[in-house]
């Protein structure tokens, strides 16, 4: 049986949830998500959301900081649009119930993060994402027009390809009719048909071994759109967060928010010396690419696995007040951050590239939108400014909602779509074929396609990934679907896109740094 809706939303982070809420009074929304409603990158966001909310700051300053961080390839019109739209969309979050910390005078208690020239980050202590997710999930659960399907995994987008027609990338006549989705509780593949399909599937962190992203971040949406012959771009620009807590093999890595450096935290090498001064005049508050590379370099020079973030010189009560979650997490590991330095190392955090969209979130495929981290809007360029990502998610949810509502009456639902074809498949005989390849992909990407790259390392990664690709495609063709097999396939696709685009770059820029093309 087909599931039919006006709006099919894939993903339940800040982007998908806000989009669903914006359109729900105009038609039926089906919201599918592969884990629980809350599980998402959004849930773990700490620092907050950037917006100009006081007179000391200005749109021009926020625009300039974003452009500078983006290293020359942001779309300036998009940057201006997002920065100007920010206050209205923050107000919308507040209207939906999200709370941001305030000072005694009633104004927002604004934090500062790397690359920002002003204090402009709205936050809820150090659990800003969880607060936004709490408010949005509550509003979505309360809305009668939104059907929530948890533990449902989108496998592939449906286009003319599934009607036996040829589709080609960069051709404008591809149309999206919905998605094939496996219900993970029944293992049945269902057909979801919709007037508009919205990919809000978030990031790709798990393509690397060490990441701040939860396990759901496997680049599924980007891979699906690429398979459907949509346009994907800027994938070489993978952001590594400089300060993930270093405690061995914890996955995902627990983040130590950049706001801690905005609060006065200082990065130190293991001998206690200040680390950043010799790398950048902005010191510990330089943009992320600069700080992550500096830490990477010091760790390699010294043979160390981590460096330290030091807040011991700050007031203990202020530390506990502003960073209660981090304080508790570290206490649980025997580290009192008011007295001891925090061991940190870089971890994969965010993908600046993704599904190419226009200023309304429309992808290169008709009736297919992409919003949030899965998309490439032009806001981030070659490096994202801290706390601009939640902002992008809510602004583009708004833009895409406006666009889909504007066009709703002109779209009809296509119902002649074939059911998913199970023929000739059986359950994979050995799960190790999947789990081992998953680990190998992460190792290849971490060792050869990390913070610092070279032609040789990229070529080696490309060849190694090619072998795993062939093995996995063969397994996929003869296997009944499992979540892990689909995710492995998607991660290989993501790794391929990152490597391919990195190999094509003949320069170092922003997050892509190659020793063969050092910055001029
Ligand atoms: P997500 O919030 O990741 O949601 C994606 C959703 O899609 C999830 O529900 C997932 O389960 C679902 N999904 C994925 N694939 C499928 C599939 N195949 N089928 C069905 N469902 C699927 N940004 C900031 O601006 N400020 C911060 O302070 C900040 N801190 C961060 C801290 C951490 C630890 C992390 C990991 C990220 C942080 N970021 C921050 C980045 C920011 O959180 C994300 O970029 C943003 O939340 C992305 O929102 P989203 O809605 O696009 O995706
Ligand atoms: C952080 O709190 O350091 C993360 C902020 C971000 O990723 O924008």
């Amino acid at each position: 049986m087909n599931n039919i809706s006006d709006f099919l939303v894939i993903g339940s982070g800040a982007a998908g949830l806000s989009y669903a809420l914006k359109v729900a009074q105009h038609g039926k929304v089906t919201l599918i998500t592969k884990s629980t409603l809350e599980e998402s990158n959004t849930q773990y966001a700490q620092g907050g959301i950037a917006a100009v909310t006081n007179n000391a700051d200005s749109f021009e300053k926020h625009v300039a900081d974003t452009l500078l961080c983006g290293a020359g390839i942001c779309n300036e019109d998009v940057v201006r649009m997002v920065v100007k739209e920010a206050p209205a969309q923050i107000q919308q979050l507040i209207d939906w119930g999200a709370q941001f910390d305030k000072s005694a005078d009633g104004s927002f208690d604004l934090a500062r993060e790397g690359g920002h020239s002003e204090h402009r980050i709205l936050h809820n202590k150090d659990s800003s994402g969880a607060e936004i997710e709490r408010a949005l999930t509550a509003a979505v659960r309360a809305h009668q027009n939104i059907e929530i399907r948890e533990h449902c995994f989108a496998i592939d987008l449906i286009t003319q390809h599934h009607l036996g027609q040829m589709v080609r990338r960069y051709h404008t006549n591809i149309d999206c009719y919905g998605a094939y989705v496996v219900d993970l509780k029944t293992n049945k593949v269902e057909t979801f048909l919709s007037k508009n399909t919205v990919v809000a599937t978030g990031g790709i962190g798990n393509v690397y071994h060490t990441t701040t992203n939860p396990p759901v971040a496997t680049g599924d949406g980007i891979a699906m759109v690429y398979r459907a012959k949509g346009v994907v771009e800027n994938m070489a620009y993978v952001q590594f967060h400089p300060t993930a807590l270093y405690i061995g093999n914890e996955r995902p890595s627990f983040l130590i928010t950049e706001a801690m450096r905005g609060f006065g935290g200082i990065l130190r090498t293991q001998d206690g010396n200040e680390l950043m001064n010799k790398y950048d005049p902005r010191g510990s508050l330089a943009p992320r690419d600069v700080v992550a590379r500096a830490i990477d370099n010091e760790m390699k020079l010294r043979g160390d696995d981590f460096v330290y973030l030091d807040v011991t010189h700050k007031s203990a009560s202020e530390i506990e007040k502003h960073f209660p979650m981090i304080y508790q997490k570290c206490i649980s590991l025997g580290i009192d951050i008011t007295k001891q330095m925090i061991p940190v190392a870089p971890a994969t955090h965010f993908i600046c590239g993704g599904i190419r969209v226009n200023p309304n979130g429309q992808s290169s495929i008709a009736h297919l939108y992409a919003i949030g981290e899965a998309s490439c809007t032009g806001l981030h360029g070659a490096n994202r400014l801290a706390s601009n990502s939640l902002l992008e998610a809510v602004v583009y949810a708004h833009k895409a909602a406006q666009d889909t509502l504007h066009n709703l009456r002109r779209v009809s639902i296509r119902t002649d779509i074939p059911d998913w074809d199970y023929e000739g498949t059986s359950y994979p005989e050995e799960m190790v074929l999947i789990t081992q390849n998953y680990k190998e992909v992460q190792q290849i990407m971490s060792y050869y396609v990390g913070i610092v790259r070279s032609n040789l390392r990229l070529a080696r990664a490309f060849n190694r990934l090619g072998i795993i690709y062939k093995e996995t495609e063969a397994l996929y063709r003869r296997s009944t679907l499992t979540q892990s097999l689909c995710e492995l396939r998607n991660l290989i696709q993501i790794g391929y896109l990152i490597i391919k685009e990195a190999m094509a770059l003949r320069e170092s820029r922003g997050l892509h740094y190659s020793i063969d093309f050092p910055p001029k």
Side-chain angles (χ1 to χ4, degrees):
M1 197 189 72
N2 293 339
N3 303 271
I4 294 179
S5 59
D6 296 300
F7 312 95
L8 172 63
V9 183
I10 308 173
S12 58
L17 294 171
S18 351
Y19 174 86
L21 287 169
K22 293 245 168 187
V23 295
Q25 79 247 42
H26 303 279
K28 184 187 168 195
V29 181
T30 302
L31 177 68
I32 70 158
T33 190
K34 70 176 172 180
S35 177
T36 57
L37 198 59
E38 288 76 14
E39 188 62 342
S40 58
N41 276 2
T42 302
Q43 175 71 16
Y44 299 91
Q46 292 186 2
I49 182 161
V52 174
T53 55
N54 71 15
N55 291 337
D57 201 359
S58 68
F59 290 147
E60 277 313 312
K61 285 186 193 167
H62 191 178
V63 167
D65 293 345
T66 303
L67 292 174
L68 185 65
C69 192
I73 60 162
C74 297
N75 179 331
E76 188 168 340
D77 293 339
V78 164
V79 174
R80 287 188 182 282
M81 181 277 285
V82 172
V83 164
K84 284 191 184 149
E85 190 61 47
Q89 295 315 316
I90 301 277
Q91 187 54 49
Q92 173 72 87
L93 286 175
I94 294 169
D95 294 344
W96 280 326
Q99 292 182 13
F100 298 106
D101 291 350
K102 293 206 167 155
S103 310
D105 65 2
S107 61
F108 289 117
D109 171 34
L110 300 173
R112 188 170 166 199
E113 293 179 334
H116 287 273
S117 57
E118 291 290 342
H119 284 73
R120 68 165 71 95
I121 318 298
L122 289 88
H123 61 98
N124 185 306
K125 307 271 184 304
D126 52 357
S127 301
S128 309
E131 170 59 12
I132 292 172
E133 192 74 13
R134 179 200 63 72
L136 294 178
T137 52
V140 161
R141 284 191 203 281
H143 207 298
Q144 59 184 16
N145 280 2
I146 304 177
E147 184 192 358
I148 301 167
R149 295 283 307 265
E150 294 178 298
H151 304 288
C152 282
F153 183 100
I155 311 162
D156 265 325
L157 298 164
I158 301 169
T159 67
Q160 295 96 322
H161 168 75
H162 297 93
L163 297 167
Q165 294 165 28
M166 176 86 116
V167 289
R168 289 211 179 91
R169 208 178 310 284
Y170 301 111
H171 281 216
T172 51
N173 58 351
I174 312 176
D175 207 346
C176 180
Y177 310 125
Y180 289 118
V181 175
V182 59
D183 182 327
L184 298 169
K185 289 189 177 140
T186 61
N187 269 327
K188 291 269 173 294
V189 179
E190 299 179 30
T191 308
F192 284 73
L193 301 175
S194 187
K195 290 182 179 170
N196 297 288
T197 303
V198 180
V199 172
T201 46
I204 57 99
N206 288 286
V207 76
Y208 288 86
H209 182 255
T210 309
T211 179
T212 62
N213 293 190
V216 291
T218 50
D220 301 341
I222 302 173
M224 280 192 291
V225 171
Y226 191 74
R227 276 198 296 275
K229 304 279 189 265
V231 179
V232 168
E233 66 184 6
N234 282 5
M235 293 293 288
Y237 303 111
V238 178
Q239 186 167 67
F240 292 79
H241 197 292
T243 58
L245 182 63
Y246 180 83
I247 47 164
N249 271 338
E250 190 179 48
R251 277 185 66 83
S253 300
F254 181 82
L255 186 73
I256 305 294
T257 177
E258 195 155 314
M260 224 170 214
R261 280 176 281 135
F263 173 75
I266 298 168
L267 287 162
R268 299 189 188 282
T269 42
Q270 286 191 20
D271 55 13
N273 285 324
E274 209 280 348
L275 185 153
M276 279 306 299
N277 278 354
K278 74 178 184 208
Y279 289 95
D280 195 284
R282 291 163 289 187
S284 294
L285 266 184
R288 261 178 216 175
D289 58 332
V290 178
V291 180
R293 259 195 312 276
I295 295 177
D296 185 64
N297 191 44
E298 286 295 326
M299 286 180 6
K300 284 187 176 133
L301 283 176
R302 292 162 181 273
D304 290 341
D305 290 332
F306 60 87
V307 299
Y308 282 117
L309 181 63
D310 181 11
V311 286
T312 56
H313 53 289
K314 304 291 289 186
S315 138
S317 60
E318 286 294 304
I319 294 172
E320 284 183 58
K321 180 176 150 205
H322 289 289
F323 306 104
M325 182 178 61
I326 293 175
Y327 175 77
Q328 283 306 333
K329 170 76 182 180
C330 291
I331 283 286
S332 78
L333 297 166
I335 306 166
D336 180 347
I337 64 172
T338 66
K339 300 190 182 78
Q340 293 162 276
M341 295 193 287
I342 312 167
V344 292
T348 313
H349 186 60
F350 183 84
I351 181 79
C352 291
I355 302 154
R356 183 165 86 194
V357 294
N358 74 9
N360 291 322
Q362 162 89 63
S363 75
S364 61
I365 297 177
H367 309 117
L368 180 69
Y369 291 76
I371 52 177
E373 190 167 340
S375 68
C376 182
T377 62
L379 175 68
H380 309 306
N383 186 22
R384 173 177 69 97
L385 185 65
S387 290
N388 265 359
S389 161
L390 288 169
L391 176 61
E392 180 188 52
V394 294
V395 168
Y396 270 82
H398 173 70
K399 298 292 287 182
Q402 281 188 321
D403 203 57
T404 44
L405 291 177
H406 181 69
N407 294 320
L408 194 59
R409 286 218 188 95
R410 275 171 268 171
V411 191
S412 54
I413 290 180
R414 184 133 192 184
T415 50
D416 54 342
I417 303 296
D419 288 341
W420 183 259
D421 182 4
Y422 293 91
E423 205 173 312
T425 60
S426 59
Y427 281 98
E429 55 276 27
E430 291 182 302
M431 284 307 283
V432 70
L433 298 176
I434 298 171
T435 52
Q436 194 53 32
N437 274 358
Y438 197 105
K439 285 184 202 153
E440 272 185 54
V441 172
Q442 292 176 331
Q443 277 181 347
I444 290 168
M445 295 302 290
S446 301
Y447 286 118
Y448 300 131
V449 200
I451 295 176
V452 175
R453 301 164 179 175
S454 74
N455 290 344
L456 192 63
R457 289 179 206 168
L458 291 174
R460 181 168 288 196
F462 192 79
N463 293 336
R464 298 278 201 279
L465 204 65
I467 297 169
I468 300 178
Y469 169 77
K470 283 192 195 129
E471 288 172 2
T472 306
E473 285 305 300
L475 185 63
Y476 181 80
R477 276 194 292 277
R478 63 175 192 268
S479 301
T480 308
L481 287 179
T482 62
Q483 179 176 356
S484 51
L485 180 54
C486 290
E487 289 179 340
L488 170 62
R489 202 168 167 240
N490 290 337
L491 285 180
I492 293 169
Q493 184 87 76
I494 297 298
Y496 164 79
L497 287 167
I498 294 171
I499 298 168
K500 191 181 76 140
E501 292 198 21
M503 286 170 97
L505 292 172
R506 319 300 292 170
E507 61 174 5
S508 289
R509 181 191 290 274
L511 296 162
H512 173 74
Y513 186 96
S514 168
I515 53 176
D516 294 308
F517 305 100
K520 298 193 179 86

